[in-house]
Amino acid sequence: MAVGLTWNVYDANTMTQAEIYGKVLCRLGEENTDIVGLSADLAKSTKIGEFAAMFPDRFFNAGVAEQNMFGMAAGLAKAGLIPFVSTMAVFTTMRAAEQVRTDICYQNLNVKIIATHGGISFGQAGTTHQCTEDIAITRAMANMTVIVPADGIECANAVRACLDINGPVYIRIGRGFEPNCYTTDAYGFEIGKAVEMNPGTDITLICCGITVLQALEAARDLEKSAGISARVINMHTLKPLDGEIIRKAVAETRRIITFEDHNIYGGLGSAVAEVIAEYGKSCAFARVGLPDCFSLVGYPEDLYSHYKLDADGIIEKVKEVMGKDFEDDDSWEDGF
Amino acid sequence: MASHEERLAAGLFLHALFPLLKVVMNENAGVRKKFAGVNASVQFQARDGEGDMGAYLKFADGRLDVVEGTCPKPDIAFLFASVKRMNAMLGGKPALFRIRGFYRVPLLVKVLALLMNLTLLMPTARPADPEKKRLKVKLTLYMMAASLSQFNKLGNPDIRKWTSMQPERIYQFSVAGREDMAAYLRVKAGKTQAGPGLYAKRRPFVHMKFRSVDEALPIILNEVNMVTAVEKGYLALEGSPEYARDIGNFMMQIQSLIM
Amino acid sequence: MPITDQELRELRGHAKQLRKDIIDVTFWAGGAHIGGALSLVEILILLYYKYLHIDPGHPDMPERDRFILSKGHAGVGFAPMLARRGYFDFELLKDFNKFNSPFGMHLDGNKVKGADVSTGSLGHGLSMAVGMALGARLKGRSWRTYCVLGDGECNEGSVWEAAMAAAHYKTTNLITFVDRNKYSVDGPTETVMGIEPLGDKWRAFGFIVKEVDGHSYAALSQAIEEAQAETKAPVVIIAHTIKGKGVDFMEDDVRWHYGGLDSDKIVEAKRYIETAVIG
């Protein structure tokens, strides 16, 4: 009897259920014939492969050549097409940074970037394939809209919505096995408008990407076990940032913690801090993310646990900020 | 003297498999009726130099409890000269053993019939009856959770290493998210706990969700492999694929021990 | 100097072991870049057991030859080879990819003894190799730098920037290999983004090109020795290999660029490896 599983990179793509944007992109491609797709030898292992399969003449594989790919995307946009470009976040924002910034942002071209494996979501691949700097980098590029969807459902919404903007958009997702925090896409997704996922009065947890679901879990537990009422905000759009919801949180809860799969320098935490500092009202504030280090190797769930970005880590940080302490209570007997 | 594997297998039979008899009692009205008004204890015991291994079934007021250890005055006792023989018998293979209290024929017949229900768990059992199919899938899900938990409690070093490194996580198995067709394994820093139903206090870290009873069976019977099952939608694997794979690996190790 | 029969026996033995190790590490890691590691075995074994001036007991030995695995995803082959060669305990590989392991898909040069650099992002290795070669020359040292690239990797523009520099600065103390196994991830290189005529491209960039059977010790050996003696221009050895070489059901199959194996498949794979005669 075989122990384990035999599979290959193409199988892995079939097994990722979180990214439904592939199907959405196909439908959009049917409606709008100006949409084209590009990938850098990763079409079969990312969801843009579905678009490639459906519209082979409107898909361009640049091979292992990201700088050229983004340059080509700029050219395609200049020719009146709407390119959706997908590769890993690290290669998008660093290998091809100048093309993204100079060819696409500076010329304000209608290019939509789907950057995969953001943060440390590709844990076992190590630092060369992780990206804990991309939010900082893309926020600093003028004309760029920056979105970090909370899950596959929100990513599909972002892909739909980004067509309403005539300009560059950066959408950053994980490796595709992330759990969904939404159950429906009809919650009123709007670029630039953060979503209050859970009302609360004691403290506000501002999150983006995978930390949104973790914060919701944490909030549920905090309410039940510690009587702490935590407001959870899904700040899916990093630029333009929803300043109003932040100011409201400062005024109404006076405590804010940000959680992101990103370096604590330059990302969500810094963006929120900018708003708080300019607002002028005092507020207890903390940023949680990668503490300005390159991540250890490991499966992403273990890394999130280690860097306190999972529900338990969030609970711990909240209790630290609130200054309370609680104990473990239960029995470990099997219940059959 | 029993080997470490034999004692491990025995532990799985006595502490993971036996409690499933309670499920059979609850689900099957006919079986319940047979045991209505029966107040008796049935012992299973194997002799071993390192310490006898056993547990007994306590029938009282129409309920069944599985109790670890030796019953002072069992009505029937299945006595095995070695752990190996007990494992063989409980695994559905021929084995030599003594029965003390064999003259209590009606009780003996009822108990053996009850035990026969567990053959549903065998990889060769392919029930056609929809009720039996449902029971097989349910028992299998329960057995998965219970045996993983016991495997850890009994000290298998591989699973111990695996559980010791984890923060609190829930591994959930279910058919289409149904409360009555679900079991969970809770893991935290070396400890494990298994139970029926959908664990409510924490979101599952891994959720193996079978779409339906009929689609679960071919996967359980190893007729369809996991990759195909997920591709076709029979099985949804939510959460970490690496840890889901680890669960699969431990299940295979457990199966090879007890089947 | 031609390879002796005794040497051939030993090299084949090491290669067989390495192929089996790649299969095992893939299992422990839960999945790895198997195909591209298997195609590289003969090159790795020949360099590390015959040509590289190294001392596993002293991985930081200043006069050692440097080796850069620019196709860093072949770490699943590089790591067990380093372990068997004596750089670290083989047992450590059992935690490959696990939390806080020094071993992940792409080896961390700061954490793995024997790995001179951290690679993984394609197209970086050759530039670093050129830098090392220049550094050795500047310091008047005689150690050489060896750099292995993938063929898909040759899509990267930075590879050609490095090639241009190598030729310009005549870094003949740098010996470059291309593992030409004909596939990247999305398919055959010529379908995804064609690189042929590859030899002509390197020649145009000022390299001396040697095209050899990448699984023949004799051919590789001759090419390496000629490269070591070359003083006019840097040499690139284009090694024609087979992705997945050594495991029948993986050979020349793009799908095995990356994957996992169950225990039955592992037994099957090792059976083929045991009987295959390569080199």
Side-chain angles (χ1 to χ4, degrees), chain C residues 19 22 34-44 71 74 179-181 214-215 239-246:
Chain C
R19 289 198 157 89
I22 288 172
I34 313 174
L38 289 171
S39 60
L40 198 53
V41 168
E42 277 63 44
I43 293 172
L44 282 177
K71 51 174 284 184
D179 180 359
R180 187 88 179 91
N181 60 28
H215 295 297
H240 291 272
T241 58
I242 294 180
K243 196 150 187 159
K245 179 79 176 174

Side-chain angles (χ1 to χ4, degrees), chain A residues 230-249:
Chain A
R231 183 181 299 186
V232 176
I233 291 176
N234 171 13
M235 188 70 76
H236 52 67
T237 308
L238 272 293
K239 191 163 85 149
L241 197 70
D242 186 343
E244 195 183 312
I245 207 171
I246 298 172
R247 286 186 285 275
K248 205 156 152 276

Side-chain angles (χ1 to χ4, degrees), chain A residues 3 7 10 43-44 66 95 125, chain C residues 100 106 122 156 185-186 260 263:
Chain A
V3 175
W7 57 278
Y10 302 155
K44 293 226 180 91
E66 297 78 14
R95 190 53 160 276
Chain C
N100 206 8
H106 309 97
L122 297 173
E156 289 286 4
V185 180
D186 280 347
S263 55

Side-chain angles (χ1 to χ4, degrees), chain B residues 13-89:
Chain B
F13 281 122
L14 296 173
H15 305 303
L17 189 64
F18 269 10
L20 299 186
L21 291 169
K22 290 192 272 186
V23 177
V24 175
M25 288 271 282
N26 289 335
E27 306 264 323
N28 194 324
V31 170
R32 244 193 340 268
K33 224 179 0 165
K34 279 209 206 122
F35 282 93
V38 171
N39 290 301
S41 295
V42 177
Q43 177 80 48
F44 288 79
Q45 186 130 337
R47 234 181 314 142
D48 184 52
E50 225 181 284
D52 288 5
M53 294 197 73
Y56 62 95
L57 308 174
K58 189 160 143 205
F59 298 91
D61 313 312
R63 262 186 36 246
L64 164 62
D65 280 308
V66 178
V67 186
E68 182 175 353
T70 313
C71 175
K73 277 197 172 64
D75 297 280
I76 293 180
F78 289 82
L79 299 167
F80 303 83
S82 71
V83 172
K84 188 171 177 165
R85 286 189 184 168
M86 183 171 74
N87 288 346
M89 186 259 180

Side-chain angles (χ1 to χ4, degrees), chain C residues 83-114:
Chain C
R84 295 287 185 201
R85 193 64 181 84
Y87 280 93
F88 51 82
D89 184 6
F90 189 82
E91 290 299 297
L92 293 173
L93 295 171
K94 295 204 165 125
D95 282 333
F96 208 98
N97 274 351
K98 302 248 178 22
F99 179 69
N100 206 8
S101 168
F103 305 100
M105 215 182 276
H106 309 97
L107 303 186
D108 184 337
N110 287 336
K111 292 186 179 168
V112 177
K113 290 205 176 68

Side-chain angles (χ1 to χ4, degrees), chain C residues 172-237:
Chain C
T172 53
N173 54 347
L174 159 64
I175 298 175
T176 306
F177 295 79
V178 176
D179 180 359
R180 187 88 179 91
N181 60 28
K182 313 263 187 338
Y183 294 97
S184 55
V185 180
D186 280 347
T189 58
E190 299 319 286
T191 309
V192 179
M193 178 55 65
I195 55 177
E196 291 298 340
L198 187 60
D200 287 347
K201 289 188 168 75
W202 285 95
R203 252 185 295 275
F205 273 75
F207 273 63
I208 291 173
V209 178
K210 297 185 189 297
E211 304 219 27
V212 300
D213 173 357
H215 295 297
S216 156
Y217 292 114
L220 283 167
S221 164
Q222 187 183 345
I224 291 170
E225 286 177 17
E226 286 171 6
Q228 286 174 330
E230 188 55 65
T231 53
K232 284 200 295 297
V235 174
V236 64
I237 299 173

